[in-house]
Structures are given as structure tokens and as C-alpha cells.
Amino acid sequence: MRIVMLGTGYVGLVSGACFAEFGMEVVCVDKDAGKIARLQNGEIPIYEPGLDELVRKNSVRQTLSFTTDLAAAMHGAEAVFIAVGTPSRRGDGHADLTYVYDAAKDIAAHIKEYTVVVTKSTVPVGTGREVESIIGKLVPRDMFDVASNPEFLREGSAIGDFMRPDRVVIGTHSKRAEAILKSIYRPLYLIETPVVMCDLETAELAKYAANAFLATKITFINEIADLCEKTGADVQDVARAIGLDGRIGRKFLHAGPGFGGSCFPKDTLALMRTGQENNSPLRIVETVVDVNTKRKKQMAQRVIAACGNDVKGKTIAVLGVTFKPNTDDMRDAPSLDILPLLQQAGAKLRAYDPAGMKEAAAMLPDITWCKDAYDALTGSDAAVLITEWNEFRGLEAEKIAALLNHKILVDLRNVYKPEDMRDAGLQYTRIGESEMKSKPQNALAAIHNLGLVDDEADEEISLEKQAS
Ligand code: UDX
């Protein structure tokens, strides 16, 4: 079966390559001729583990191709997926549907036989109906149906998420469209992946509800982390203690600097607007947006506080700038809030990120970009870990301490064991650790550092640490 994927961004390219892997004949279409030429040449414009191999393999066996010619692509295609961008509209947070509606018009002009038009982009409730009326102006109603098939792909693990989804959601009123979509997803059907058949509006809202719920879960544990710091609790243990409850679940309970990325920030805003517009305000989502926005900025203050409330003239090493590991994506990354605030407070920044530096350099001026983590740490006074890339987990505590002039490490992702860091003489702070616990231990690390400790005192310290 031939299908068209309209849009070769993150969703379109991953979905197109995976559908090709399912055995579909997939034609990916984009208006950007340069991008299509690069894709035809095997160049992958996004950093997604495994995508280059999947695109290459399916291009060679001709189950995947790229073109700017939508008319030719649609010839013989039973389904056309709209996978174009739906960015936040400037100023009001609504999803900008210009590209979706332009795509619907373009598709309508080339429907010559019955076609299912499928919105895969994340679109507000009601968009599918609007697409239906746009196409219906040009195409007889029995020549097409519209369906919603939202994706739940995480950047960095998108192919795995596509090939082994928790569920497939298909929204349509048409039995004919349902049959075609089920045959496209047959390989997942065969491994008994749950398929949620529902109507258009339900599928559209389910996507936003999923992302807003996950963003809420993250924001919840972030606020619990702040309370842990005031009450002597540890957020890692709280997260474990509640996550083992099957009704809560262990995932998305990692406290951090706040969520970023191309989805949660824009989708929570768009859903908030949908609620307001329909006189059914989503006050929890509104609060999540507000709390998360403030949190990312508060993280800069956390670094400044760890440096004795003054970073003027100090050099700070930054480990990771992307919004999460295993991606080069900088969209709404916490670093975009944290780093300019540190610079405004007078800090000089030396930064390293395994994949995001090219993209970040255009967004974060006046930063010294380094060749690896130890290079960034060399000659710095303090360090902050913002993104939990695996390669940071292997850094040696002693080496970090030796390279940092003031031996201060702020870990915004709780990557390290506090005792390892403090035993190496680092004043180490993390998210959601009791201040009552971290302050004395950091003071001890500082004393240890300054070499003011003799053998008896060493003995006292270790006894004291055992007591704490
Ligand atoms: C998200 C959804 O997970 C995915 O289903 C949807 O299709 C697209 O949006 P993505 O944005 O790629 O995927 O990444 P995700 O892994 O969800 O992380 C989003 C943000 O939340 C990142 O900034 C991440 O650092 C943060 N996060 C995630 C936490 O702070 N704590 C967690 O426990 C999980």
C-alpha cells in the first residue's frame, strides 16, 4: 500500500521511515527542496538515534522516497498523513494551524481517488473537522475521509516508541478509513498493540491530555522536591515510594530544572487556550505552565546561591544544554533560561553538550563552547549539570574536584551520588535533597578542601557523617 507523509520534520520523518519498515510504500513530501535533496542524498536533518540507518535501509529497498511533488506522490496513495509543524502562535499560545490548513488545501487539489487524510501533527480539538470542510469545498464527500492519528513519540527514543507503542489512537467516523488505517498498522496489530478507536475530537484531545498529564506529573514532583529541601525529605526516595504504586507509576517522576522540548511547553499552552476558549478552564494546566516557566528561571538562582550568592567574574562550567539527552533539540530547553541569567549576574560560561552545541551557539551568545566535559570544567570555578547525558554519569568525582577552583557542583538532574561527590571534596547540591543534610556535609567538604582538617578532626568528621 502506498501512503504519503506530508512534512519531513521530526514526526514526519520518523513516522515515514517506520511505516516503510512496516512494509508500506512511503513517499515523504516537503516544500523545502533543499531538505528533500539532502534526504534523497541520505542526509538526516535531525539527531534521532537509529533514524539514519532506518532511512538508508528503506531508501535502498525503495519503500521510502522523498519528493517535493505532492501530485505525483499522491497518485495511487490510499492515505495521506499531515505531519507538518503546529508551533505556538506568537503571543497567545494557540497552536498555529497555518501549515496544517495549507496542507489540507494542497492535498484537496490532488485527490483523484478515495483517500484517507490523516492528521498526525498535534492539533487542537476541532482541527480535523476544519480540515474536512476545507477539503470538502474542492472534493466530493465520498472521495475522502479525515482521521486523527496522534503520535506519542519521545525525542531520543522515537523509533522504539513507534515500533512498540503502548497504544495506537485512531479517531474517525468512517469505517472505510478505519479499515485502511488498521491495515497500515497491521504489524502492530499482530503484536497485539491496543488500538483505541474513537471519534476525531476524542483522538485530538487525547493527545493533548496525555502530554499535559505528563507535564503535570513532572511539575508535581518538582514541587515536591522543593518541599523535600525544606522538610528533610529526599525526593528520590519519595518518587520511588509513590512510583511503586501501580496507580501512579514510576515514570516521569524525575525532579529536575523543569520540562522543555518541542511538545510539552507548546501543548500545555495550547490546551490551556482550548479550555479558556470553551469556557472550561483547565486550572491545573494553567498552574503547570506558570510553575514550570518560573522554575527554569529559579534554577539560575540556585547556582548563584551555591556560589555564595555572587558569580561576578566567576567562570561556571555547564554540562549539557539540550532539553533532554539523546537529542540536539534546544526548543524551550531550561538552559535557555538559566544561562542568560547567570551571564547577567556576571558569570562567564564554558559549556559542553554532546549533540546540541551547534544549535545552541545560535541561541546562546558569549559562551565558550568546549570539546568535552573535562575541558569545560578546566579552569572553571563551579559547575552546573543541566542535561543528564549518559557520558556525564562516568565523570570521576576526584577529577571534577581537581579541575574546579572552588569545587562547587550543582546537579540539576540528580545524576550523581552525594557521598561520592562530597568525599571527593566537592560542595555538591542537587534537586530535592534536604538542606539540613546537604549544608553540613558541604561545609565539611569545604573544610576538607581547604586542608584545615588534621587526623583527629578527620576522625570526628567521619563519626559526624556517620551520625547524620
Ligand atoms: C514528549 C512526550 O513524552 C511524547 O509522548 C510526545 O509525543 C512528545 O512530547 P519529548 O518532549 O520528546 O516527548 O520528551 P520527554 O522525554 O517527554 O521529556 C520532556 C521534558 O520533560 C524534558 O525536558 C525532560 O527533561 C523533562 N522530564 C521528563 C523531566 O523533567 N522529568 C521526567 O521524569 C521526565
Side-chain angles (χ1 to χ4, degrees), residues 10 151-155 207 211 214 218 252-254 256 258-264 323-324 388 413:
Y10 165 71
E151 49 77 24
F152 300 93
L153 310 178
R154 292 166 296 163
E155 292 194 29
K207 169 66 187 175
N211 273 5
L214 292 167
I218 292 165
F252 282 61
L253 281 176
H254 302 295
F259 60 78
S262 60
C263 297
F264 285 177
F323 85 93
K324 65 181 280 196
E388 67 281 24
R413 296 289 187 168

Side-chain angles (χ1 to χ4, degrees), residues 90-113:
R90 286 252 167 275
D92 66 6
H94 279 276
D96 180 348
L97 298 171
T98 309
Y99 305 118
V100 171
Y101 294 152
D102 287 350
K105 289 177 197 123
D106 294 345
I107 291 166
H110 301 301
I111 291 180
K112 300 288 181 274
E113 56 214 304

